[in-house]
């Protein structure tokens, strides 16, 4: 398996533009997580899905952020409109279903909003 | 804050020495996990200890968990320069939710 695949690896966009980050989880994994990593706030859980259903989105910072998982093999995180403070590395991770399972991380998308 | 706390924030040791990192958390957990992150890369899972376990070993790694104190420690024995990375603890909670600490930056000098 190729692991969790995220695209793009790097994204530079202008303030106010829409940004879409993509994630393909490991086949057979039922849980998917979106995290944001910054120096100031560390690694924050934004949202996670079980069996394509959003379970907890309490970490989504504002209405400008939205996430979808239309099927078991694809998820998107959208920011509209983007702001400079959204600049961060965004990670997607997936795991098998269950209470005691490890998460597998993608390589991340480095987002810069100018 | 959703995160727990780790200490130290940064640790610098010589190759061959042991490195100990600590993690404290605030809520009830199903498990506690440790991950490693090399600069510019994604996190890699190292070890998972369940809430009913007290100690676990994997190679040069030893993890302890004290649920009464809500704390865990990661010991890396006989460290190598290749162990240089950031190390994060993560608490596994109800429903599979996984919350990370702020991390410890470990530097192992050859």
């Amino acid at each position: 398996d190729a692991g969790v695949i995220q695209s793009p690896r790097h994204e530079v966009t202008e303030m106010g533009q829409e940004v879409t980050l993509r994630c393909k989880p490991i086949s057979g994994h039922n849980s998917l997580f979106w995290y944001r990593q910054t120096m100031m706030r560390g690694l924050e859980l934004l949202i996670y899905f079980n069996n394509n259903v959003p379970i907890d989105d309490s970490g989504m910072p504002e209405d400008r952020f939205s996430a979808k998982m239309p099927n078991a093999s694809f998820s998107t995180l959208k920011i509209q409109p983007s702001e400079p403070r959204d600049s961060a590395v965004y990670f997607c991770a997936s795991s098998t279903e269950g209470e005691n399972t490890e998460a597998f991380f993608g390589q991340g998308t480095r987002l810069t909003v100018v | 804050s959703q995160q727990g706390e780790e200490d130290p924030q940064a640790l610098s040791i010589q190759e061959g020495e042991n490195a100990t990192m600590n993690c404290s958390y605030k809520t009830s957990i199903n498990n506690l996990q440790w991950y490693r992150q090399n600069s510019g890369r994604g996190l890699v899972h190292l070890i998972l200890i369940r809430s009913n376990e007290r100690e676990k070993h994997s190679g040069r790694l030893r993890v302890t968990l004290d649920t009464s104190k809500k704390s865990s420690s990661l010991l890396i024995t006989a460290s190598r320069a290749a162990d240089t990375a950031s190390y994060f603890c993560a608490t596994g909670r109800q429903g599979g939710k996984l919350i990370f600490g702020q991390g410890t930056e470990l530097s192992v000098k050859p």
Side-chain angles (χ1 to χ4, degrees):
Chain A
D1 200 315
V4 176
I5 299 173
Q6 292 186 246
S7 64
R9 289 295 309 276
H10 301 273
E11 176 82 31
V12 180
T13 190
E14 290 188 347
M15 183 174 64
Q17 296 297 307
E18 177 180 296
V19 175
T20 299
L21 311 181
R22 296 173 176 79
C23 175
K24 178 178 167 39
I26 293 173
S27 177
H29 281 191
N30 303 94
S31 297
L32 184 139
F33 306 82
W34 281 101
Y35 290 91
R36 176 173 70 177
Q37 186 175 38
T38 60
M39 289 293 291
M40 290 297 295
R41 300 177 68 86
L43 201 62
E44 302 172 278
L45 176 64
L46 300 178
I47 185 171
Y48 77 102
F49 297 82
N50 279 346
N51 296 312
N52 313 338
V53 176
I55 302 301
D56 187 336
D57 65 355
S58 59
M60 294 286 262
E62 321 172 13
D63 292 345
R64 298 185 298 107
F65 285 68
S66 62
K68 294 182 180 179
M69 193 163 185
N71 56 63
S73 59
F74 184 65
S75 177
T76 59
L77 178 68
K78 186 176 292 186
I79 308 172
Q80 165 65 17
S82 58
E83 296 182 3
R85 61 193 167 120
D86 301 331
S87 297
V89 181
Y90 291 81
F91 286 102
C92 174
S94 70
S95 69
T96 56
E97 195 168 11
E99 299 290 342
N100 292 298
T101 59
E102 65 181 273
F104 292 80
F105 278 74
Q107 293 298 314
T109 295
R110 181 173 295 278
L111 173 65
T112 303
V113 183
V114 298
Chain B
S1 167
Q2 45 175 266
Q3 294 107 334
E5 294 183 5
E6 294 184 58
D7 77 271
Q9 287 189 333
L11 179 62
S12 183
I13 59 174
Q14 293 295 130
E15 210 166 25
E17 293 180 340
N18 296 341
T20 300
M21 289 160 266
N22 303 296
C23 169
S24 61
Y25 57 93
K26 298 174 183 176
T27 66
S28 61
I29 62 172
N30 291 327
N31 63 73
L32 191 136
Q33 307 182 30
W34 286 89
Y35 289 76
R36 166 192 168 129
Q37 184 180 34
N38 286 80
S39 180
R41 309 293 297 272
L43 282 77
V44 175
H45 181 264
L46 296 175
I47 194 166
L48 180 153
I49 184 166
R50 300 185 182 210
S51 59
N52 61 354
E53 297 176 312
R54 292 296 167 259
E55 188 171 311
K56 201 161 185 180
H57 298 254
S58 177
R60 294 184 297 113
L61 305 181
R62 173 179 168 249
V63 170
T64 61
L65 178 64
D66 187 336
T67 53
S68 66
K69 295 181 179 178
K70 290 186 166 54
S71 68
S72 174
S73 67
L74 171 68
L75 168 68
I76 303 174
T77 60
S79 63
R80 306 166 182 167
D83 294 329
T84 295
S86 293
Y87 291 82
F88 294 85
C89 69
T91 49
R93 305 182 186 182
Q94 195 71 24
K97 191 171 183 176
L98 196 59
I99 300 297
F100 284 82
Q102 294 280 30
T104 293
E105 202 171 310
L106 174 66
S107 174
V108 182
K109 301 186 187 311

